[in-house]
Amino acid sequence: MFKDSNGVELQMGDSVQIIKDLKLKGSSSTLKRGVVVKNIRLTDKEGEIEGKVDKHGVIVLKTSFLKKV
């Protein structure tokens, strides 16, 4: 079961918001707090989701830094 930072269950296709500035590995860019990631996909690993972010493409995010919108 995938849960966000507030304990709300996440489903395939949900939209989530980033709650903390996150530095992207292998890049000099940072995802700012408040960025919305739409249409998420659940991965095989518990606590990680995939989502598409404008200008960055598909990235993997830990659910502890997300909240459901």
Side-chain angles (χ1 to χ4, degrees):
M1 183 180 311
F2 292 83
K3 294 187 177 185
D4 69 0
S5 61
N6 297 325
V8 178
E9 188 175 339
L10 297 173
Q11 301 288 327
M12 193 85 93
D14 284 344
S15 293
V16 293
Q17 187 176 33
I18 297 174
I19 62 168
K20 178 183 174 184
D21 288 355
L22 299 174
K23 186 157 175 61
L24 295 177
K25 280 188 176 180
S27 174
S28 62
S29 18
T30 302
L31 289 176
K32 296 291 184 182
R33 187 176 96 182
V35 171
V36 176
V37 181
K38 297 178 182 176
N39 198 18
I40 64 169
R41 288 186 303 251
L42 306 178
T43 62
D44 294 337
K45 293 184 180 181
E46 183 75 27
E48 291 184 355
I49 57 106
E50 287 183 357
K52 187 174 182 182
V53 179
D54 293 339
K55 301 178 186 173
H56 297 289
V58 176
I59 57 172
V60 176
L61 296 165
K62 293 195 178 270
T63 57
S64 59
F65 299 115
L66 306 172
K67 88 174 173 183
K68 189 172 180 178
V69 182

